[in-house]
Amino acid sequence: MIDLHLHLDGSLEPEFLHTLASQQHIDLSVEDIKKQVICTSCNSLNEYLGCFDLPIKLLQTEDSLMQATFHLMERLEKGKMAYAEIRFAPQLHTRLGLSIENVVNAVLLALNEANRVFSVKAQVILCCMRGGVENKLQNIETIEVGRKYLGKGVCAIDLAGAEALYKTQDFKYLFEIAKGVGMPFVIHAGEADGVESVSSAINFGASRIGHGIALRNEEYLMNEVKEKQIAIEMCPTSNLQTKAIKNIKDFPLFEFLDNNLLATINTDNMTVSNTTINKEFELLENKLGVNNEIRKKLICNSVRSAFLSEADKTKLMLKVLNQRK
Protein backbone atom coordinates (compact mmCIF):
# COMPACT_ATOMS: atom_id res chain seq x y z
CA MET A 1 0.00 0.00 0.00
CA ILE A 2 0.99 3.60 -0.56
CA ASP A 3 0.32 6.86 1.30
CA LEU A 4 1.23 10.10 -0.48
CA HIS A 5 -0.41 12.49 2.01
CA LEU A 6 0.83 11.64 5.49
CA HIS A 7 1.74 14.20 8.17
CA LEU A 8 4.52 13.24 10.56
CA ASP A 9 3.20 15.13 13.59
CA GLY A 10 -0.34 13.85 13.04
CA SER A 11 0.64 10.19 12.77
CA LEU A 12 2.57 9.41 15.97
CA GLU A 13 0.93 6.87 18.28
CA PRO A 14 -0.20 8.16 21.70
CA GLU A 15 2.01 5.62 23.47
CA PHE A 16 5.03 6.96 21.63
CA LEU A 17 4.05 10.56 22.46
CA HIS A 18 3.81 9.47 26.09
CA THR A 19 7.41 8.24 25.89
CA LEU A 20 8.53 11.59 24.46
CA ALA A 21 6.60 13.47 27.14
CA SER A 22 8.21 11.38 29.89
CA GLN A 23 11.67 12.04 28.45
CA GLN A 24 10.90 15.76 28.58
CA HIS A 25 9.51 15.57 32.15
CA ILE A 26 5.97 16.39 31.03
CA ASP A 27 3.43 14.59 33.19
CA LEU A 28 0.72 13.27 30.88
CA SER A 29 -0.98 9.89 30.83
CA VAL A 30 -1.63 8.04 27.58
CA GLU A 31 -5.34 8.78 28.05
CA ASP A 32 -4.58 12.50 28.49
CA ILE A 33 -2.62 12.42 25.26
CA LYS A 34 -5.36 10.61 23.35
CA LYS A 35 -7.83 13.31 24.35
CA GLN A 36 -5.53 15.96 22.93
CA VAL A 37 -4.39 14.32 19.70
CA ILE A 38 -7.28 12.19 18.44
CA CYS A 39 -10.08 14.09 16.73
CA THR A 40 -13.46 13.04 18.09
CA SER A 41 -15.68 16.02 17.32
CA CYS A 42 -14.38 18.86 15.15
CA ASN A 43 -16.47 21.50 13.45
CA SER A 44 -13.82 22.79 11.06
CA LEU A 45 -10.28 22.42 9.80
CA ASN A 46 -9.13 25.02 12.32
CA GLU A 47 -10.41 22.88 15.22
CA TYR A 48 -8.83 19.79 13.67
CA LEU A 49 -5.48 21.57 13.52
CA GLY A 50 -5.62 22.01 17.30
CA CYS A 51 -4.84 18.28 17.64
CA PHE A 52 -1.29 19.01 16.47
CA ASP A 53 -0.40 21.32 19.35
CA LEU A 54 0.97 18.63 21.67
CA PRO A 55 2.99 16.66 19.08
CA ILE A 56 4.60 19.85 17.83
CA LYS A 57 5.46 20.86 21.41
CA LEU A 58 7.19 17.51 21.89
CA LEU A 59 9.13 17.67 18.61
CA GLN A 60 11.53 20.53 19.26
CA THR A 61 14.87 18.72 19.46
CA GLU A 62 16.90 16.75 16.96
CA ASP A 63 16.59 13.64 19.11
CA SER A 64 12.80 13.82 19.37
CA LEU A 65 12.49 14.41 15.61
CA MET A 66 14.72 11.44 14.86
CA GLN A 67 12.79 9.22 17.25
CA ALA A 68 9.49 10.34 15.72
CA THR A 69 10.60 9.70 12.16
CA PHE A 70 11.90 6.23 12.96
CA HIS A 71 8.75 5.45 14.97
CA LEU A 72 6.50 6.39 12.06
CA MET A 73 8.53 4.32 9.63
CA GLU A 74 8.33 1.37 12.01
CA ARG A 75 4.56 1.90 12.21
CA LEU A 76 4.34 1.89 8.40
CA GLU A 77 6.44 -1.27 8.27
CA LYS A 78 4.08 -3.03 10.69
CA GLY A 79 1.17 -1.89 8.52
CA LYS A 80 2.82 -3.57 5.50
CA MET A 81 3.16 -0.31 3.60
CA ALA A 82 5.34 -0.26 0.49
CA TYR A 83 5.95 3.48 0.13
CA ALA A 84 5.05 6.80 1.73
CA GLU A 85 5.72 10.49 1.31
CA ILE A 86 5.84 11.97 4.80
CA ARG A 87 5.30 15.70 5.21
CA PHE A 88 6.04 18.14 7.99
CA ALA A 89 6.68 21.88 8.43
CA PRO A 90 10.29 22.44 9.59
CA GLN A 91 9.57 25.96 10.85
CA LEU A 92 7.18 24.56 13.49
CA HIS A 93 10.07 22.74 15.16
CA THR A 94 12.42 25.71 15.75
CA ARG A 95 11.05 26.97 19.10
CA LEU A 96 14.08 25.81 21.09
CA GLY A 97 16.67 27.14 18.70
CA LEU A 98 16.96 24.57 15.92
CA SER A 99 17.34 26.00 12.44
CA ILE A 100 15.12 24.81 9.61
CA GLU A 101 18.11 22.93 8.19
CA ASN A 102 18.80 21.33 11.60
CA VAL A 103 15.22 20.03 11.63
CA VAL A 104 15.38 18.66 8.10
CA ASN A 105 18.76 17.03 8.74
CA ALA A 106 17.46 15.26 11.85
CA VAL A 107 14.44 13.86 10.02
CA LEU A 108 16.52 12.75 7.02
CA LEU A 109 19.12 11.08 9.21
CA ALA A 110 16.44 8.89 10.82
CA LEU A 111 14.64 8.38 7.50
CA ASN A 112 17.78 7.13 5.78
CA GLU A 113 18.38 4.64 8.58
CA ALA A 114 14.75 3.48 8.43
CA ASN A 115 14.93 3.13 4.64
CA ARG A 116 17.96 0.91 5.17
CA VAL A 117 16.46 -1.45 7.77
CA PHE A 118 12.77 -1.57 6.76
CA SER A 119 11.12 -2.82 3.57
CA VAL A 120 8.88 0.27 3.43
CA LYS A 121 10.56 3.20 1.70
CA ALA A 122 9.78 6.88 2.14
CA GLN A 123 10.68 10.42 1.13
CA VAL A 124 9.71 13.69 2.79
CA ILE A 125 7.74 16.72 1.66
CA LEU A 126 8.56 19.99 3.43
CA CYS A 127 5.52 22.11 4.26
CA CYS A 128 5.52 25.87 4.03
CA MET A 129 2.86 27.37 6.30
CA ARG A 130 -0.06 29.66 5.63
CA GLY A 131 0.09 32.77 7.76
CA GLY A 132 1.00 36.43 7.70
CA VAL A 133 4.25 38.19 6.91
CA GLU A 134 5.94 36.48 9.87
CA ASN A 135 5.91 33.22 7.88
CA LYS A 136 7.35 34.60 4.67
CA LEU A 137 11.07 34.37 5.45
CA GLN A 138 10.68 30.92 7.00
CA ASN A 139 8.74 29.70 3.98
CA ILE A 140 11.45 30.96 1.64
CA GLU A 141 14.11 29.29 3.79
CA THR A 142 12.13 26.03 3.68
CA ILE A 143 12.26 26.11 -0.11
CA GLU A 144 16.00 26.83 -0.05
CA VAL A 145 16.68 23.94 2.31
CA GLY A 146 14.32 21.70 0.35
CA ARG A 147 16.19 22.45 -2.87
CA LYS A 148 19.50 21.64 -1.17
CA TYR A 149 18.24 18.20 -0.16
CA LEU A 150 16.11 17.46 -3.23
CA GLY A 151 16.79 13.88 -4.26
CA LYS A 152 18.53 13.21 -0.94
CA GLY A 153 15.36 12.34 0.96
CA VAL A 154 13.33 15.45 0.13
CA CYS A 155 11.03 15.11 -2.88
CA ALA A 156 8.83 18.27 -2.86
CA ILE A 157 7.44 21.18 -0.89
CA ASP A 158 3.84 21.84 0.15
CA LEU A 159 1.64 24.64 1.47
CA ALA A 160 -0.38 23.68 4.58
CA GLY A 161 -2.32 25.35 7.38
CA ALA A 162 -5.52 27.36 7.79
CA GLU A 163 -6.67 27.52 4.18
CA ALA A 164 -9.84 29.54 4.78
CA LEU A 165 -7.99 32.22 6.76
CA TYR A 166 -4.98 32.57 4.44
CA LYS A 167 -5.90 32.35 0.77
CA THR A 168 -3.86 30.23 -1.61
CA GLN A 169 -3.55 33.11 -4.07
CA ASP A 170 -1.56 35.10 -1.49
CA PHE A 171 1.29 32.58 -1.70
CA LYS A 172 2.01 33.01 -5.39
CA TYR A 173 5.47 34.31 -4.48
CA LEU A 174 6.39 30.94 -2.92
CA PHE A 175 5.70 28.92 -6.00
CA GLU A 176 7.40 31.39 -8.31
CA ILE A 177 10.51 30.86 -6.18
CA ALA A 178 9.99 27.07 -6.20
CA LYS A 179 9.62 26.95 -9.99
CA GLY A 180 12.66 29.18 -10.35
CA VAL A 181 14.87 26.67 -8.53
CA GLY A 182 13.25 23.54 -9.99
CA MET A 183 11.52 22.47 -6.78
CA PRO A 184 8.44 20.22 -7.27
CA PHE A 185 5.44 21.17 -5.15
CA VAL A 186 2.02 20.10 -3.97
CA ILE A 187 -0.60 22.39 -2.40
CA HIS A 188 -3.35 21.80 0.15
CA ALA A 189 -6.35 23.32 -1.65
CA GLY A 190 -10.10 22.91 -1.79
CA GLU A 191 -10.41 21.44 1.69
CA ALA A 192 -11.53 24.41 3.83
CA ASP A 193 -11.80 26.97 1.03
CA GLY A 194 -13.60 27.12 -2.28
CA VAL A 195 -12.85 26.51 -5.91
CA GLU A 196 -10.69 29.66 -6.16
CA SER A 197 -8.13 27.93 -3.94
CA VAL A 198 -7.94 24.96 -6.29
CA SER A 199 -7.78 27.23 -9.33
CA SER A 200 -4.79 29.05 -7.81
CA ALA A 201 -3.01 25.75 -7.11
CA ILE A 202 -3.54 24.69 -10.72
CA ASN A 203 -2.32 28.03 -12.08
CA PHE A 204 0.77 27.96 -9.88
CA GLY A 205 1.74 24.59 -11.36
CA ALA A 206 1.14 22.14 -8.52
CA SER A 207 1.97 18.51 -9.34
CA ARG A 208 -0.65 17.33 -6.85
CA ILE A 209 -3.49 18.92 -4.89
CA GLY A 210 -4.12 17.94 -1.29
CA HIS A 211 -7.82 17.10 -0.74
CA GLY A 212 -9.30 19.09 -3.67
CA ILE A 213 -12.90 18.55 -2.54
CA ALA A 214 -13.96 21.94 -3.99
CA LEU A 215 -13.33 20.54 -7.48
CA ARG A 216 -16.63 18.68 -7.43
CA ASN A 217 -19.19 19.92 -9.96
CA GLU A 218 -16.51 22.13 -11.56
CA GLU A 219 -16.31 20.49 -14.99
CA TYR A 220 -14.01 23.09 -16.55
CA LEU A 221 -11.45 22.83 -13.74
CA MET A 222 -11.66 19.04 -13.66
CA ASN A 223 -10.84 19.00 -17.37
CA GLU A 224 -7.83 21.21 -16.71
CA VAL A 225 -6.68 18.94 -13.88
CA LYS A 226 -7.06 15.92 -16.16
CA GLU A 227 -5.18 17.53 -19.05
CA LYS A 228 -2.31 18.58 -16.79
CA GLN A 229 -2.24 15.18 -15.03
CA ILE A 230 -2.47 16.81 -11.59
CA ALA A 231 -3.11 14.14 -8.98
CA ILE A 232 -5.64 14.61 -6.18
CA GLU A 233 -4.59 13.42 -2.71
CA MET A 234 -7.96 12.40 -1.27
CA CYS A 235 -8.33 11.73 2.47
CA PRO A 236 -11.86 10.46 3.31
CA THR A 237 -11.85 10.28 7.12
CA SER A 238 -10.17 13.63 7.71
CA ASN A 239 -12.54 15.27 5.19
CA LEU A 240 -15.43 14.03 7.29
CA GLN A 241 -13.82 15.32 10.47
CA THR A 242 -12.98 18.80 9.11
CA LYS A 243 -16.45 19.07 7.56
CA ALA A 244 -15.01 19.34 4.06
CA ILE A 245 -17.81 16.85 3.35
CA LYS A 246 -21.02 16.45 5.37
CA ASN A 247 -21.13 12.67 5.05
CA ILE A 248 -19.31 9.97 3.15
CA LYS A 249 -21.95 9.99 0.42
CA ASP A 250 -20.72 13.50 -0.46
CA PHE A 251 -17.18 12.26 -1.03
CA PRO A 252 -16.57 12.95 -4.76
CA LEU A 253 -14.42 9.91 -5.48
CA PHE A 254 -16.55 8.50 -8.29
CA GLU A 255 -17.09 11.93 -9.81
CA PHE A 256 -13.33 12.38 -9.98
CA LEU A 257 -12.73 8.89 -11.36
CA ASP A 258 -15.53 9.26 -13.92
CA ASN A 259 -13.79 12.42 -15.13
CA ASN A 260 -10.50 10.51 -15.41
CA LEU A 261 -8.72 12.40 -12.65
CA LEU A 262 -5.70 10.88 -10.92
CA ALA A 263 -7.49 10.35 -7.62
CA THR A 264 -5.44 8.74 -4.84
CA ILE A 265 -6.45 7.61 -1.34
CA ASN A 266 -4.40 8.62 1.70
CA THR A 267 -4.68 8.87 5.49
CA ASP A 268 -3.67 12.51 6.08
CA ASN A 269 -3.04 11.86 9.79
CA MET A 270 -3.08 8.32 11.11
CA THR A 271 -3.39 9.32 14.77
CA VAL A 272 -5.45 12.51 14.60
CA SER A 273 -7.95 10.78 12.31
CA ASN A 274 -7.54 7.41 14.07
CA THR A 275 -7.05 5.63 10.76
CA THR A 276 -4.76 3.59 8.52
CA ILE A 277 -4.69 3.26 4.75
CA ASN A 278 -6.53 -0.06 5.06
CA LYS A 279 -9.24 1.59 7.17
CA GLU A 280 -9.64 4.27 4.49
CA PHE A 281 -10.22 1.66 1.82
CA GLU A 282 -12.57 -0.31 4.09
CA LEU A 283 -14.63 2.86 4.59
CA LEU A 284 -14.88 3.37 0.84
CA GLU A 285 -15.71 -0.28 0.24
CA ASN A 286 -18.42 -0.39 2.92
CA LYS A 287 -20.02 2.99 2.27
CA LEU A 288 -19.42 3.69 -1.42
CA GLY A 289 -19.08 0.20 -2.87
CA VAL A 290 -15.47 0.55 -4.00
CA ASN A 291 -14.51 -2.86 -5.41
CA ASN A 292 -11.17 -4.54 -6.05
CA GLU A 293 -10.92 -3.15 -9.58
CA ILE A 294 -11.38 0.44 -8.38
CA ARG A 295 -9.08 -0.15 -5.43
CA LYS A 296 -6.36 -1.33 -7.83
CA LYS A 297 -6.90 1.73 -10.02
CA LEU A 298 -6.54 4.05 -7.02
CA ILE A 299 -3.33 2.34 -5.93
CA CYS A 300 -1.96 2.53 -9.48
CA ASN A 301 -2.81 6.24 -9.52
CA SER A 302 -0.72 6.64 -6.35
CA VAL A 303 2.25 4.92 -7.98
CA ARG A 304 1.92 7.12 -11.09
CA SER A 305 1.72 10.25 -8.92
CA ALA A 306 4.64 9.53 -6.58
CA PHE A 307 7.77 11.67 -6.75
CA LEU A 308 9.86 8.84 -8.12
CA SER A 309 11.76 8.09 -11.31
CA GLU A 310 9.96 5.98 -13.90
CA ALA A 311 12.26 3.06 -13.08
CA ASP A 312 11.44 3.31 -9.37
CA LYS A 313 7.72 3.58 -10.16
CA THR A 314 7.95 0.32 -12.09
CA LYS A 315 9.65 -1.37 -9.13
CA LEU A 316 7.06 0.05 -6.73
CA MET A 317 4.19 -1.14 -8.92
CA LEU A 318 5.58 -4.68 -8.92
CA LYS A 319 6.06 -4.55 -5.15
CA VAL A 320 2.50 -3.36 -4.55
CA LEU A 321 1.00 -5.94 -6.91
CA ASN A 322 2.95 -8.68 -5.18
CA GLN A 323 1.66 -7.46 -1.81
CA ARG A 324 -1.89 -7.83 -3.11
CA LYS A 325 -1.45 -11.50 -4.06
Side-chain angles (χ1 to χ4, degrees):
M1 297 296 284
I2 300 168
D3 199 336
L4 299 180
H5 191 123
L6 176 66
H7 289 267
L8 172 63
D9 46 5
S11 299
L12 305 173
E13 292 175 302
E15 292 77 10
F16 170 75
L17 292 172
H18 179 259
T19 298
L20 282 187
S22 298
Q23 290 173 358
Q24 297 173 34
H25 308 292
I26 297 172
D27 186 17
L28 287 170
S29 69
V30 172
E31 289 306 312
D32 291 333
I33 291 170
K34 287 180 179 179
K35 289 175 184 177
Q36 292 189 49
V37 302
I38 299 176
C39 176
T40 53
S41 60
C42 294
N43 293 310
S44 67
L45 174 61
N46 291 341
E47 285 191 23
Y48 183 86
L49 293 176
C51 295
F52 294 83
D53 291 347
L54 178 62
I56 289 171
K57 178 181 178 180
L58 296 173
L59 297 175
Q60 295 297 326
T61 66
E62 290 171 310
D63 182 63
S64 63
L65 287 160
M66 290 173 64
Q67 287 188 62
T69 304
F70 198 86
H71 162 77
L72 179 53
M73 287 292 286
E74 188 172 32
R75 186 177 187 186
L76 295 175
E77 176 83 353
K78 290 176 180 176
K80 302 188 184 303
M81 298 293 290
Y83 177 75
E85 290 176 2
I86 301 168
R87 61 189 74 190
F88 65 99
Q91 62 186 264
L92 298 181
H93 305 281
T94 59
R95 296 175 186 172
L96 296 182
L98 293 180
S99 68
I100 284 174
E101 187 165 0
N102 291 154
V103 172
V104 174
N105 267 323
V107 170
L108 292 182
L109 187 62
L111 184 75
N112 290 336
E113 176 63 12
N115 277 331
R116 187 183 67 82
V117 301
F118 297 136
S119 62
V120 61
K121 305 304 175 189
Q123 299 188 86
V124 298
I125 296 174
L126 305 182
C127 295
C128 298
M129 291 303 296
R130 297 176 188 268
V133 292
E134 71 278 2
N135 291 88
K136 187 170 184 178
L137 290 179
Q138 290 180 313
N139 284 340
I140 292 171
E141 186 177 352
T142 296
I143 294 175
E144 292 171 349
V145 172
R147 182 64 186 86
K148 181 176 179 179
Y149 292 95
L150 184 63
K152 301 173 184 177
V154 173
C155 61
I157 63 162
D158 182 19
L159 177 64
E163 183 189 3
L165 296 177
Y166 300 98
K167 303 297 182 182
T168 302
Q169 178 61 36
D170 294 339
F171 297 88
K172 182 178 180 180
Y173 74 91
L174 271 182
F175 303 107
E176 288 179 342
I177 294 170
K179 283 191 287 187
V181 298
M183 190 75 202
F185 57 90
V186 303
I187 301 177
H188 280 72
E191 178 187 18
D193 201 10
V195 69
E196 297 83 3
S197 183
V198 180
S199 181
S200 293
I202 295 168
N203 292 336
F204 293 164
S207 297
R208 303 197 309 244
I209 292 172
H211 303 288
I213 296 299
L215 266 175
R216 56 187 168 188
N217 302 319
E218 299 290 339
E219 186 175 349
Y220 173 79
L221 275 183
M222 282 194 283
N223 284 335
E224 191 171 359
V225 167
K226 178 180 68 175
E227 289 167 7
K228 294 181 176 179
Q229 292 292 285
I230 300 170
I232 309 298
E233 304 163 349
M234 304 188 77
C235 308
T237 298
S238 77
N239 287 163
L240 284 165
Q241 292 169 327
T242 63
K243 303 300 186 286
I245 55 174
K246 292 181 179 178
N247 60 65
I248 194 61
K249 299 297 183 182
D250 294 328
F251 192 61
L253 174 62
F254 284 111
E255 181 182 357
F256 289 179
L257 290 176
D258 289 345
N259 282 278
N260 296 310
L261 303 192
L262 280 171
T264 68
I265 299 302
N266 311 277
T267 60
D268 200 3
N269 299 284
M270 293 170 67
T271 297
V272 176
S273 288
N274 193 24
T275 192
T276 63
I277 198 68
N278 285 325
K279 284 185 179 180
E280 295 298 310
F281 276 103
E282 287 170 9
L283 174 66
L284 297 176
E285 289 163 6
N286 294 335
K287 300 296 183 180
L288 295 184
V290 166
N291 57 28
N292 283 334
E293 182 180 350
I294 297 170
R295 180 184 175 115
K296 182 178 177 181
K297 180 178 180 62
L298 291 165
I299 295 171
C300 289
N301 284 349
S302 289
V303 175
R304 289 179 60 190
S305 306
F307 288 113
L308 292 167
S309 68
E310 291 305 314
D312 285 339
K313 287 180 182 179
T314 299
K315 292 177 185 176
L316 178 59
M317 186 72 78
L318 291 173
K319 183 176 182 179
V320 172
L321 292 178
N322 285 334
Q323 280 183 332
R324 297 275 295 150
K325 290 179 181 179

